[in-house]
Amino acid sequence: MTKINKATWIWFPGDFEIWLGNRLNNRRTERGAMFPPFWKQDSHWVTVEFSKTIVLDEPETVCIAVEGDFNWMLDGKLQFGMPNEFTIPAGEHKLNIKVHNPTTPPALYIEGKTVYTDSSWLITYEDKIWIDENGVAHGSGIYVPAACWNFYSIDERPSNYRLLRKEHMPVSSEDGLYDFGRETFGYLKFCEVNGEGVFHVYYGESREEALDKEFCETLDKIVVKLGDKEVCTCHSKAFRYVYVETEGNLTYNTVAMDYEYAPQNLLKSGTFRCNDDELNRIWEIGAYTMDLTTREFFVDGIKRDRWIWSGDAIQSYLMNYYLRFDNECVKRTIRQLRGKDPVTAHINTIMDYTFYWFKSIYDYYLYTGDVEFVRELYPRMKTMMDYVLGRTNSDGMAEGKSDDWIFVDWVDFPMHKRGVLCFEQILFCKSLETMQFCASMLREHPLEFPPQGSIPTEIYETDALNYQSLFESLKAKLKPIFWNEEKGAFMHSIEDGVLNPHITKFPNMFAMLYDFLDEIDKKRVMHTVMLNPEIDPITTPYMRFYELEALCMMGLYAEVMNEMKAYWGGMLHEGATSFWEKYVPHENGAQHLSMYGRPYGKSLCHAWGASPVYLLGKYYLGVQPTSPGYATFTVTPALGGLEWIEGDVPTPHGLVHIYMDNYKVKIKAAGGKGTLLLPSGEYPIIPGKELVVNFRIKQG
Amino acid sequence: MTKINKATWIWFPGDFEIWLGNRLNNRRTERGAMFPPFWKQDSHWVTVEFSKTIVLDEPETVCIAVEGDFNWMLDGKLQFGMPNEFTIPAGEHKLNIKVHNPTTPPALYIEGKTVYTDSSWLITYEDKIWIDENGVAHGSGIYVPAACWNFYSIDERPSNYRLLRKEHMPVSSEDGLYDFGRETFGYLKFCEVNGEGVFHVYYGESREEALDKEFCETLDKIVVKLGDKEVCTCHSKAFRYVYVETEGNLTYNTVAMDYEYAPQNLLKSGTFRCNDDELNRIWEIGAYTMDLTTREFFVDGIKRDRWIWSGDAIQSYLMNYYLRFDNECVKRTIRQLRGKDPVTAHINTIMDYTFYWFKSIYDYYLYTGDVEFVRELYPRMKTMMDYVLGRTNSDGMAEGKSDDWIFVDWVDFPMHKRGVLCFEQILFCKSLETMQFCASMLREHPLEFPPQGSIPTEIYETDALNYQSLFESLKAKLKPIFWNEEKGAFMHSIEDGVLNPHITKFPNMFAMLYDFLDEIDKKRVMHTVMLNPEIDPITTPYMRFYELEALCMMGLYAEVMNEMKAYWGGMLHEGATSFWEKYVPHENGAQHLSMYGRPYGKSLCHAWGASPVYLLGKYYLGVQPTSPGYATFTVTPALGGLEWIEGDVPTPHGLVHIYMDNYKVKIKAAGGKGTLLLPSGEYPIIPGKELVVNFRIKQG
């Protein structure tokens, strides 16, 4: 059948993500034991109603596919059964379809010549329309545009969604130990099996881990029955090495694996090359780390937790904006993290992670210009913020309660997390600013035909004023409370009314990044904190992300370049084929593998390890949106000591290609209003036309 | 295997009901089209954690069964896989089991010599416990006692729960029309089928309906393949008659049905007999109507809607307290109606139905004394009341908004439902009183070992004061605003600040029932409203329930007896084999069948039609609890013009048996502190001993 229109499967916004997220989050195992998350998991709406008003010049027969039981109502009249085809007469008609599905999200696909499902359909989980004794309809529901993704044919049912697979072979083997050459992810297979018994499989991100049957983090026990010729693991695992032992009368010829991955469009992806091979390798391993952790959602790491964590995800989003620009995955992850009302805990139970969630919506809007996603999310942003505001202390500060996890970072030095942390207030403040920004933005972007139950413009107006006042009030308190003028830094916290004078990089660098310091104080903080060797160093790539970004913002390109080479290059020297959860340069050998008190507890493929991808795109290729969706953007390229750099940055308009060496800059952008910023001046970038600027003086 | 302990399947409180309720509510059809409810439907928690601390003198092997994927943690250490047996060493141990099940409620069954699942286990859907990098546990969850019902063996999985079935045969047949003799419910079967084709089945609660292929409310189309010998409908239907047509080359020998029912304990049931055969028949048909509508939950009617409606259910509960005392069904129905947070609409979208839901908890507690159920529900009572309070107008009154359905009753006379209805305020006021009552009661019944996350006593204290103040404030407004002293009645409503002087029985009779009038005004209202022929009559058994109860409260036993015989006797004379949704005595023939503008729209088996069961038990046998769970109770028997009455009323202690004629009363109660109240005095009822009081003067 030839595709005659853009018919697509539709469902209630967020339901697909809630369902898929539960599948993902509950798939983690630890040494053969299932390991689900320790926070509330939601469900999709089990019954929804789809509706659309259509006008037909002539009768039209549509085909109908549904995930769930359903009814079909034409102009308020129920039709018999669950038809897979229906002829709609000419004229104006109202279609209402209720779908019930307790197992997977209720979803609808209709395909006809002019009538077909897409995001112009409305949907509600609570139609609240009732018919009185005289047959008159009353009540009102809250209708929103239906959600869709890329399920464009009747057979591509959303509940059948799976990542892709591709067979890979080990590069070497020795006494039951198989090496797949680099960090990978998927399903192990045994080929040409004979006999019966049990395969005991021990996975290792390192050789040490795979060979350590007692302590490796993941393992499998596969029972083989007589006659099984090829056996495959049910669950995917992360590994580079596998060690296999057989029990019983069992032989096999080879071991292979099905690599599992999310497809990415390489033609629309970010790239980076330069004259330094080590840096190129850092970028490539960063990109591979991102590809491994970009799955149904952005996950933290692929060995464990394989969960969706907000603080990890916001970094994945930002890296993604400079790598694959897979914004559907950003949306899925943001939706999944939020789940449903009521809010009964912080996102992932972590206060900071709630705040990153708010910030990530601001970032998403800036990089994509997607108003509708913000509109979809806004009611849940509000209830999330209500939760935060409902738990502030008498000073209006976000103080941890007994059931809040205050994470900040994994640190090796003593750092209390009691009381009111300056770090958390800065994130809270940014969240309030985001709320104010989104409310104002939505007020300025009203829908032409708001569906019944939409938020009226006045509410956005009121909200914007309210959040602005909360934001300004909190911002005004930050310096009086936490700033030590003598030390030129934000102090750590207030505990029982007493200032804890511990200085860490965390609040100070976020105050810089979020622009809560003036330029003079930013420069002071660079000196007093960021570059001060007496301040405890950051040892996770997680917080190095922000640390190095702060340095880049202050123009320390060469210093950051050196740091990247030292730190990420250090991991490469240790044999990393993907970047790690944590890296402490002075550690040795198997010390690098341990964490959480377990010898192989550390994840060797962790999304937050990939930040060079972000830093190189944003601060060296130097491309940054200055208005939503790259309507305008700047390019501020920097060599940071390299001889030449070249690469692409994805935007909604297509790629921006940049080349720079000591003598020139060449830029070509597919669209948007770009400006090249150089010390010598500003140069407009005409879409589709290469801009070349030659330097009079050699740049450094 | 011999049962060695009281092991039972356990799950999160309310989850079983939410899951089962969705199955039930989405099963309604209308002329072959699925007809789901028009309000939000919730889901069970997909991942929960069960826990218990145990102490063993010796190692113990337990068997484990789980609905869902699970892990097994002993003293904080995860064990391999999903074991179906585990040996726990001697000593004190902590068991934690996480279960994930997206399809049916996660449920656990453990059976060992001393370790087994029951309601002493704790459960949480959000354990919020995390382990830091040093392996130290942090955080806290909200734990509640696990729920269970009567699934006492490993094979009785909660998700397999079904009602019972029994084959019934038609009593007569003629030209494809089969009569099953009385209203019934179940699955139609065709036996000894030959050939292939389609059975077209038209169901009728009346002969007229079954024969009217165009307008009967329910029908089936059963496709028969060659070789099918016995075919059965997939879905249950309500009917007395079925009319069958065959299409294609199809023959069959007989039609039968599988009657579907909820088992009831007749030995612990209420009974009623008297010298009047018609009244006995009214009681029996009432009891049968109740049995037909007492299913997985108390439903409104069995033809349609087959949904769980709060206003209908509260009457079923009250009748049930005088009939089967099936209090598990009461709890299931109350839980199902409430669903989960957040509250986004009134229960069933109807404001009055929210208020009945509150009242039903008060009633349940009074009849059963079950503190733990109130404790379980209290947090959701609060959020439900928050919803109500969040929508009151500036006078603190419950005024209908555009998405609230103000039901009151189906009425034949003009009655506006705009503005602030006195009827709704009286129900609202009773709800606030219930909140205050429950908060005070829970404050006085603290748990000895409250699980982590329990509501502290101080909160109940504060709540009780808060609800008391709201209750008193609203109650104090009722008379100044709605009462017309000249007319001696509550007026209907305030619309746009103007009193609508329409007088209906609704607010007046509820003010009497809920004791919001003093004795003098109650007597006035009897005269000015309840017995005033100028006031529009009530035409539904739904509101006749309250009307006749109000008359009984005022001692009008003979008048109510006459009314019962006239009204319910009237339905019997029309051939009713179960009681109807609505009955208008002056209508004729097929007029009795129509409603909602449809010729067979009326339900002929509607729970609210069975109120004589309640009235006869409570006001003629005269048994009423005076403290929770019949710790104390009174018996005030009344003949109401009959020669003798005899019967049983169920209580948590067992039956109370009453006999009365004009010369004596005989009472025997299994337990509780009962008091017989007669005009001649008060007589204590000693449990297990028959009390006989002979009258000096013949009673009437």
Side-chain angles (χ1 to χ4, degrees):
Chain A
M1 182 177 174
T2 313
K3 188 80 180 178
I4 49 174
N5 52 44
K6 288 269 178 59
T8 189
W9 283 90
I10 56 176
W11 56 83
F12 194 86
D15 270 2
F16 180 73
E17 288 79 3
I18 285 172
W19 165 77
L20 189 63
N22 287 344
R23 284 170 69 108
L24 181 104
N25 274 337
N26 290 287
R27 222 186 280 154
R28 172 179 178 183
T29 59
E30 202 172 285
R31 292 193 61 79
M34 180 201 178
F35 198 130
F38 49 81
W39 52 78
K40 176 171 77 97
Q41 294 165 49
D42 298 304
S43 303
H44 61 269
W45 296 115
V46 293
T47 304
V48 299
E49 194 214 48
F50 299 88
S51 64
K52 178 151 180 155
T53 299
I54 54 166
V55 181
L56 295 181
D57 292 336
E58 50 180 11
E60 182 168 323
T61 300
V62 297
C63 67
I64 304 159
V66 179
E67 297 222 285
D69 290 338
F70 71 102
N71 68 25
W72 179 266
M73 200 184 257
L74 179 73
D75 302 324
K77 190 170 163 37
L78 279 173
Q79 307 296 313
F80 179 83
M82 302 188 202
N84 51 27
E85 206 177 86
F86 192 86
T87 301
I88 308 166
E92 180 174 322
H93 299 288
K94 187 143 206 293
L95 295 176
N96 295 77
I97 299 109
K98 281 206 185 193
V99 182
H100 172 64
N101 188 340
T103 308
T104 65
L108 175 69
Y109 182 94
I110 291 174
E111 184 161 9
K113 199 174 141 199
T114 69
V115 178
Y116 52 87
T117 42
D118 61 14
S119 60
S120 72
W121 284 64
L122 296 179
I123 188 164
T124 178
Y125 59 83
E126 183 177 35
D127 65 299
K128 286 199 208 168
I129 310 281
W130 65 90
I131 312 294
D132 73 11
E133 56 191 321
N134 304 314
V136 180
H138 297 270
S140 59
I142 295 173
Y143 288 81
V144 297
C148 58
W149 181 24
N150 64 358
F151 303 106
Y152 288 120
S153 88
I154 200 165
D155 300 321
E156 286 180 86
R157 291 176 173 249
S159 71
N160 284 341
Y161 171 68
R162 301 289 181 277
L163 297 180
L164 302 184
R165 297 188 191 191
K166 199 174 181 174
E167 191 176 81
H168 284 182
M169 301 302 292
V171 295
S172 70
S173 71
E174 180 193 350
D175 297 335
L177 180 73
Y178 297 86
D179 178 4
F180 285 85
R182 61 172 180 170
E183 177 83 12
T184 188
F185 187 89
Y187 305 83
L188 200 69
K189 295 192 296 192
F190 294 91
C191 310
E192 297 176 44
V193 176
N194 269 307
E196 60 186 324
V198 180
F199 284 120
H200 294 274
V201 182
Y202 306 92
Y203 299 93
E205 291 194 313
S206 62
R207 184 185 162 91
E208 291 88 332
E209 185 181 10
L211 288 171
D212 193 339
K213 300 195 294 183
E214 281 297 298
F215 290 101
C216 63
E217 292 276 316
T218 58
L219 47 78
D220 259 323
K221 201 168 137 179
I222 308 164
V223 178
V224 179
K225 296 188 308 291
L226 214 59
D228 292 345
K229 285 295 159 209
E230 180 172 304
V231 293
C232 182
T233 56
C234 302
H235 291 289
S236 51
K237 294 282 193 309
F239 56 92
R240 172 177 168 173
Y241 299 89
V242 290
Y243 176 63
V244 175
E245 285 188 342
T246 57
E247 182 187 328
N249 156 36
L250 201 56
T251 64
Y252 61 99
N253 186 12
T254 50
V255 158
M257 71 166 293
D258 280 339
Y259 173 65
E260 191 189 54
Y261 64 103
Q264 297 295 349
N265 189 336
L266 297 184
L267 296 178
K268 293 188 177 173
S269 288
T271 64
F272 180 84
R273 296 289 297 161
C274 69
N275 61 295
D276 183 320
D277 279 346
E278 183 179 50
L279 200 66
N280 291 338
R281 182 84 181 133
I282 289 171
W283 189 90
E284 281 158 17
I285 294 293
Y288 183 58
T289 302
M290 272 299 290
D291 284 347
L292 283 170
T293 54
T294 304
R295 312 198 64 78
E296 294 92 336
F297 303 90
F298 290 107
V299 298
D300 63 335
I302 59 174
K303 177 163 75 177
R304 53 134 281 275
D305 305 331
R306 308 170 50 162
W307 287 344
I308 307 155
W309 290 96
S310 179
D312 306 55
I314 191 175
Q315 298 192 356
S316 291
Y317 308 153
L318 290 168
M319 297 181 228
N320 167 70
Y321 298 136
Y322 289 94
L323 186 61
R324 305 292 176 216
F325 216 64
D326 180 354
N327 298 333
E328 289 296 328
C329 193
V330 177
K331 289 200 284 180
R332 286 201 301 277
T333 308
I334 290 176
R335 287 185 183 117
Q336 196 286 333
L337 281 167
R338 176 59 184 82
K340 276 189 181 179
D341 285 333
V343 181
T344 58
H346 280 296
I347 289 179
N348 307 125
T349 76
I350 302 176
M351 185 190 277
D352 359 343
Y353 279 29
T354 293
F355 298 139
Y356 291 126
W357 182 80
F358 286 108
K359 173 63 163 58
S360 73
I361 296 163
Y362 175 84
D363 294 341
Y364 172 81
Y365 179 63
L366 180 63
Y367 279 93
T368 66
D370 178 356
V371 178
E372 295 319 309
F373 183 64
V374 181
R375 199 190 314 276
E376 174 196 320
L377 234 47
Y378 186 78
R380 274 178 288 174
M381 294 173 73
K382 261 181 90 165
T383 43
M384 190 78 231
M385 186 51 85
D386 288 344
Y387 178 78
V388 172
L389 294 171
R391 291 164 75 86
T392 50
N393 68 13
S394 54
D395 293 329
M397 302 252 168
E399 182 171 356
K401 291 181 186 265
S402 67
D403 53 348
D404 297 333
W405 182 358
I406 307 294
F407 175 56
V408 189
D409 193 15
W410 299 125
V411 291
D412 292 324
F413 51 87
M415 181 178 82
H416 290 304
K417 296 177 182 176
R418 293 188 297 264
V420 180
L421 268 64
C422 179
F423 165 79
E424 299 288 345
Q425 308 323 306
I426 287 169
L427 268 60
F428 179 21
C429 203
K430 189 70 190 172
S431 303
L432 288 167
E433 192 182 17
T434 297
M435 287 306 298
Q436 184 268 322
F437 175 85
C438 291
S440 301
M441 187 278 283
L442 291 169
R443 180 195 55 197
E444 285 155 24
H445 291 79
L447 282 173
E448 198 178 351
F449 303 106
Q452 183 179 291
S454 296
I455 297 174
T457 307
E458 310 85 79
I459 298 287
Y460 290 124
E461 180 90 36
T462 315
D463 286 0
L465 290 171
N466 181 28
Y467 291 123
Q468 183 176 7
S469 139
L470 288 163
F471 161 62
E472 286 172 358
S473 153
L474 181 58
K475 194 179 168 199
K477 287 181 197 164
L478 294 176
K479 280 195 81 173
I481 292 182
F482 294 104
W483 182 260
N484 182 317
E485 184 56 30
E486 195 192 328
K487 305 223 171 183
F490 280 111
M491 303 292 107
H492 182 58
S493 67
I494 305 274
E495 291 173 45
D496 303 323
V498 180
L499 192 70
N500 176 336
H502 186 189
I503 300 177
T504 69
K505 292 187 176 173
F506 307 118
N508 290 288
M509 72 194 186
F510 277 90
M512 293 176 67
L513 291 167
Y514 291 169
D515 212 21
F516 293 163
L517 284 176
D518 61 30
E519 294 308 309
I520 295 170
D521 283 336
K522 279 184 189 167
K523 282 181 185 137
R524 273 194 82 190
V525 162
M526 283 300 288
H527 177 71
T528 55
V529 181
M530 299 307 291
L531 302 174
N532 182 351
E534 287 174 20
I535 301 295
D536 291 310
I538 287 172
T539 55
T540 57
Y542 175 52
M543 278 291 148
R544 297 228 81 184
F545 182 103
Y546 297 110
E547 181 186 30
L548 297 182
E549 171 151 33
L551 302 187
C552 285
M553 275 177 65
M554 300 305 287
L556 275 69
Y557 302 113
E559 291 79 354
V560 171
M561 184 60 67
N562 288 340
E563 270 302 303
M564 276 198 279
K565 283 174 60 68
Y567 191 77
W568 280 269
M571 281 191 257
L572 293 187
H573 293 157
E574 295 290 343
T577 59
S578 54
F579 288 126
W580 305 349
E581 183 174 17
K582 189 173 172 181
Y583 171 57
V584 184
H586 61 76
E587 289 182 342
N588 283 308
Q591 279 187 306
H592 287 303
L593 307 176
S594 71
M595 203 167 168
Y596 309 104
R598 306 199 302 265
Y600 312 103
K602 189 182 290 169
S603 157
L604 298 190
C605 174
H606 227 67
W608 72 31
S611 49
V613 165
Y614 172 66
L615 297 171
L616 291 169
K618 186 170 179 186
Y619 292 101
Y620 294 82
L621 298 177
V623 179
Q624 298 189 34
T626 47
S627 58
Y630 280 90
T632 61
F633 63 93
T634 55
V635 183
T636 319
L639 287 171
L642 296 169
E643 288 170 21
W644 60 267
I645 58 174
E646 180 167 20
D648 298 278
V649 170
T651 79
H653 311 289
L655 296 176
V656 181
H657 184 82
I658 299 100
Y659 173 87
M660 184 187 198
D661 60 27
N662 287 308
Y663 307 98
K664 61 185 170 301
V665 175
K666 295 194 288 186
I667 295 182
K668 193 170 174 184
K673 197 175 167 195
T675 307
L676 171 64
L677 301 182
L678 291 174
S680 56
E682 300 189 2
Y683 306 84
I685 304 162
I686 314 296
K689 222 181 132 182
E690 188 175 62
L691 168 69
V692 182
V693 178
N694 293 299
F695 304 139
R696 290 179 202 167
I697 309 158
K698 180 186 165 189
Q699 307 281 305
Chain B
M1 181 177 175
T2 313
K3 188 81 179 173
I4 50 176
N5 52 43
K6 286 268 179 61
T8 189
W9 283 89
I10 56 175
W11 56 82
F12 194 87
D15 270 2
F16 180 72
E17 288 79 2
I18 284 173
W19 164 77
L20 188 63
N22 286 344
R23 285 169 68 107
L24 180 105
N25 274 337
N26 290 286
R27 221 186 279 154
R28 173 179 177 182
T29 59
E30 201 171 286
R31 290 194 62 80
M34 181 201 177
F35 198 129
F38 48 82
W39 53 79
K40 177 170 76 98
Q41 294 166 50
D42 299 304
S43 302
H44 61 269
W45 297 114
V46 293
T47 304
V48 299
E49 194 213 47
F50 298 87
S51 64
K52 178 153 180 153
T53 299
I54 53 165
V55 181
L56 294 181
D57 292 335
E58 52 180 11
E60 182 169 324
T61 300
V62 296
C63 68
I64 304 159
V66 179
E67 297 222 286
D69 290 339
F70 71 103
N71 68 26
W72 179 266
M73 198 183 257
L74 179 73
D75 301 324
K77 190 168 163 39
L78 278 173
Q79 308 296 314
F80 179 84
M82 302 188 204
N84 51 28
E85 207 177 84
F86 192 86
T87 301
I88 308 165
E92 181 173 320
H93 299 287
K94 188 142 204 295
L95 296 176
N96 294 77
I97 298 109
K98 280 206 187 195
V99 182
H100 172 64
N101 188 339
T103 308
T104 64
L108 175 69
Y109 182 92
I110 291 174
E111 184 162 6
K113 199 174 140 200
T114 69
V115 179
Y116 51 87
T117 41
D118 62 13
S119 61
S120 72
W121 284 63
L122 296 178
I123 187 164
T124 178
Y125 58 84
E126 183 177 33
D127 66 300
K128 287 197 206 169
I129 309 281
W130 65 91
I131 313 294
D132 73 12
E133 55 191 320
N134 303 313
V136 179
H138 297 270
S140 59
I142 296 173
Y143 288 81
V144 296
C148 58
W149 181 25
N150 63 359
F151 303 107
Y152 289 119
S153 90
I154 200 165
D155 300 321
E156 285 181 89
R157 292 177 173 249
S159 70
N160 284 339
Y161 171 68
R162 300 290 181 275
L163 297 180
L164 303 184
R165 297 188 192 190
K166 197 174 182 175
E167 189 175 82
H168 284 182
M169 301 302 292
V171 295
S172 69
S173 71
E174 180 193 351
D175 297 335
L177 180 73
Y178 297 86
D179 178 3
F180 285 84
R182 60 173 181 170
E183 177 83 12
T184 188
F185 186 89
Y187 305 82
L188 200 70
K189 296 193 295 192
F190 294 90
C191 309
E192 297 175 43
V193 176
N194 268 307
E196 60 185 326
V198 179
F199 284 120
H200 295 276
V201 182
Y202 305 93
Y203 299 93
E205 291 193 313
S206 62
R207 183 184 162 93
E208 291 88 332
E209 185 181 10
L211 288 171
D212 192 338
K213 298 194 295 182
E214 281 297 299
F215 290 101
C216 63
E217 292 275 315
T218 58
L219 47 80
D220 260 322
K221 201 169 136 180
I222 308 164
V223 177
V224 180
K225 298 189 306 292
L226 214 59
D228 292 343
K229 284 297 158 209
E230 180 172 302
V231 294
C232 183
T233 56
C234 302
H235 291 288
S236 51
K237 294 284 192 311
F239 55 92
R240 171 174 168 176
Y241 300 89
V242 291
Y243 176 62
V244 175
E245 283 188 344
T246 58
E247 183 188 326
N249 157 34
L250 200 56
T251 64
Y252 61 98
N253 185 12
T254 50
V255 158
M257 71 165 293
D258 280 339
Y259 173 65
E260 191 189 54
Y261 64 103
Q264 297 296 347
N265 189 337
L266 298 185
L267 296 178
K268 292 187 176 174
S269 288
T271 64
F272 180 84
R273 297 289 293 161
C274 69
N275 62 295
D276 183 318
D277 279 347
E278 182 179 50
L279 200 67
N280 291 337
R281 181 84 182 134
I282 288 171
W283 189 91
E284 280 157 18
I285 294 292
Y288 183 57
T289 301
M290 273 298 290
D291 285 346
L292 283 169
T293 54
T294 304
R295 313 199 63 79
E296 294 92 338
F297 302 90
F298 290 108
V299 298
D300 63 334
I302 59 173
K303 177 164 77 178
R304 51 135 281 275
D305 304 333
R306 307 169 51 161
W307 286 345
I308 306 155
W309 290 97
S310 179
D312 305 58
I314 192 176
Q315 297 193 358
S316 290
Y317 309 152
L318 290 168
M319 297 181 229
N320 167 70
Y321 299 135
Y322 289 93
L323 185 61
R324 305 292 175 216
F325 216 63
D326 180 354
N327 298 333
E328 289 297 327
C329 193
V330 177
K331 289 200 285 181
R332 286 201 301 279
T333 308
I334 290 176
R335 287 185 182 118
Q336 195 286 332
L337 282 167
R338 177 58 184 82
K340 276 190 181 180
D341 285 334
V343 180
T344 59
H346 281 295
I347 289 180
N348 308 125
T349 77
I350 302 175
M351 184 189 277
D352 359 343
Y353 279 29
T354 293
F355 298 138
Y356 292 127
W357 183 81
F358 286 107
K359 173 63 162 56
S360 74
I361 295 164
Y362 175 84
D363 293 342
Y364 171 79
Y365 179 64
L366 179 63
Y367 278 93
T368 66
D370 178 355
V371 178
E372 295 320 309
F373 184 64
V374 181
R375 199 189 316 274
E376 173 196 319
L377 234 48
Y378 187 78
R380 276 179 286 174
M381 294 173 73
K382 262 181 90 166
T383 43
M384 190 79 230
M385 185 51 87
D386 288 345
Y387 177 78
V388 173
L389 293 170
R391 292 163 73 88
T392 50
N393 68 13
S394 54
D395 293 328
M397 301 251 169
E399 183 171 355
K401 292 184 186 264
S402 68
D403 53 347
D404 297 332
W405 183 358
I406 307 294
F407 175 56
V408 189
D409 192 16
W410 299 125
V411 292
D412 292 325
F413 51 86
M415 181 178 83
H416 290 305
K417 297 176 181 176
R418 293 186 299 263
V420 180
L421 268 65
C422 180
F423 165 79
E424 299 288 345
Q425 309 322 306
I426 287 170
L427 269 60
F428 179 21
C429 201
K430 189 69 191 173
S431 303
L432 288 167
E433 192 182 16
T434 298
M435 287 306 298
Q436 184 267 323
F437 175 85
C438 292
S440 302
M441 188 277 285
L442 291 169
R443 179 195 56 198
E444 285 155 25
H445 290 81
L447 281 174
E448 199 179 350
F449 302 107
Q452 183 177 292
S454 295
I455 298 174
T457 307
E458 311 85 78
I459 298 286
Y460 290 125
E461 179 89 36
T462 315
D463 286 359
L465 290 172
N466 182 27
Y467 290 124
Q468 183 177 7
S469 139
L470 288 164
F471 162 62
E472 285 172 359
S473 152
L474 181 58
K475 193 178 166 199
K477 287 180 194 162
L478 294 177
K479 281 195 81 173
I481 292 182
F482 294 104
W483 182 260
N484 182 318
E485 184 56 28
E486 194 191 331
K487 305 223 169 181
F490 281 112
M491 304 292 106
H492 181 59
S493 68
I494 305 275
E495 291 173 45
D496 302 324
V498 180
L499 193 70
N500 176 337
H502 186 191
I503 300 177
T504 69
K505 291 186 177 175
F506 307 119
N508 289 287
M509 71 195 186
F510 277 90
M512 292 176 70
L513 291 167
Y514 291 169
D515 212 22
F516 293 163
L517 283 177
D518 61 28
E519 295 308 308
I520 294 169
D521 283 336
K522 280 184 189 166
K523 283 183 184 135
R524 272 196 80 191
V525 162
M526 285 298 289
H527 176 71
T528 55
V529 181
M530 299 307 291
L531 302 174
N532 181 351
E534 285 174 20
I535 301 296
D536 291 309
I538 288 172
T539 56
T540 57
Y542 175 52
M543 278 291 148
R544 297 228 81 185
F545 181 103
Y546 297 110
E547 181 186 29
L548 297 182
E549 171 151 32
L551 301 187
C552 284
M553 275 177 64
M554 299 305 286
L556 276 68
Y557 302 112
E559 290 78 355
V560 172
M561 184 60 68
N562 288 340
E563 270 303 302
M564 278 198 276
K565 284 173 61 67
Y567 190 78
W568 280 269
M571 282 190 256
L572 294 187
H573 293 156
E574 295 290 344
T577 59
S578 54
F579 288 127
W580 305 349
E581 183 174 18
K582 189 173 173 183
Y583 171 56
V584 184
H586 61 73
E587 290 182 343
N588 284 308
Q591 278 187 307
H592 286 304
L593 308 176
S594 70
M595 203 168 166
Y596 309 105
R598 307 198 301 266
Y600 313 102
K602 189 183 290 171
S603 156
L604 299 190
C605 174
H606 226 66
W608 73 28
S611 50
V613 166
Y614 173 66
L615 297 170
L616 291 169
K618 186 170 179 186
Y619 293 100
Y620 293 83
L621 297 177
V623 179
Q624 299 188 34
T626 48
S627 57
Y630 281 89
T632 60
F633 63 94
T634 55
V635 184
T636 320
L639 288 171
L642 296 169
E643 288 169 22
W644 59 268
I645 58 174
E646 181 169 18
D648 298 278
V649 170
T651 79
H653 311 289
L655 296 176
V656 180
H657 184 82
I658 299 100
Y659 173 86
M660 184 187 198
D661 60 28
N662 286 308
Y663 307 98
K664 61 183 170 302
V665 175
K666 295 195 287 185
I667 295 181
K668 192 170 175 184
K673 197 175 165 194
T675 308
L676 171 65
L677 301 181
L678 291 175
S680 55
E682 300 188 2
Y683 306 84
I685 304 163
I686 314 296
K689 222 180 131 184
E690 188 175 63
L691 168 69
V692 182
V693 178
N694 294 299
F695 305 139
R696 290 180 200 165
I697 308 157
K698 180 185 162 187
Q699 306 282 306

